[in-house]
Amino acid sequence: MNSVGEACTELKREYDQCFNRWFAEKFLKGESGGDPCGQLFKRYQHCVQKAIKEKDIPIEGLEFMGGSKGKSEDSS
C-alpha cells in the first residue's frame, strides 16, 4: 500500500520492512527491548504530516497527528 504522500512511499516501505523484521525476529521471540525503527518512523511521520498539510486533508479530532492538541472536547 502506498503512503498518503507519493514522496513518502519509499520511507513507508523502509519503515514497514524494519518493523516487520524486528517484530518477527525479536518481538515474537521475547526480545522487546530497543527501538531499531524509531528514526525511520519519525522521518516517515514527518513526511506524512507534510503531505497532509500540502493536500489540505482535514485532520480535526486526530490527536495522534496533533489536530486536537490543547483543545478540550467542550471548546468550540
Side-chain angles (χ1 to χ4, degrees):
M1 174 185 262
N2 289 339
S3 181
V4 67
E6 194 174 314
C8 305
T9 297
E10 186 58 33
L11 285 171
K12 179 186 183 306
R13 286 187 184 132
E14 288 178 38
Y15 172 72
D16 286 347
Q17 286 178 337
C18 181
F19 177 83
N20 290 335
R21 190 175 329 112
W22 169 82
F23 189 78
E25 297 173 8
K26 302 288 184 182
F27 184 78
L28 290 178
K29 295 178 181 176
E31 300 174 35
S32 60
D35 187 6
C37 307
Q39 287 299 95
L40 279 173
F41 179 74
K42 286 179 184 179
R43 287 176 42 215
Y44 173 58
Q45 182 182 39
H46 177 74
C47 187
V48 167
Q49 289 171 340
K50 183 178 174 186
I52 286 172
K53 286 179 184 176
E54 288 173 356
K55 292 181 178 206
D56 201 26
I57 298 172
I59 58 171
E60 292 80 23
L62 299 179
E63 290 183 35
F64 70 95
M65 293 296 288
S68 298
K69 266 188 181 172
K71 294 181 184 176
S72 70
E73 290 186 20
D74 295 331
S75 65
S76 38

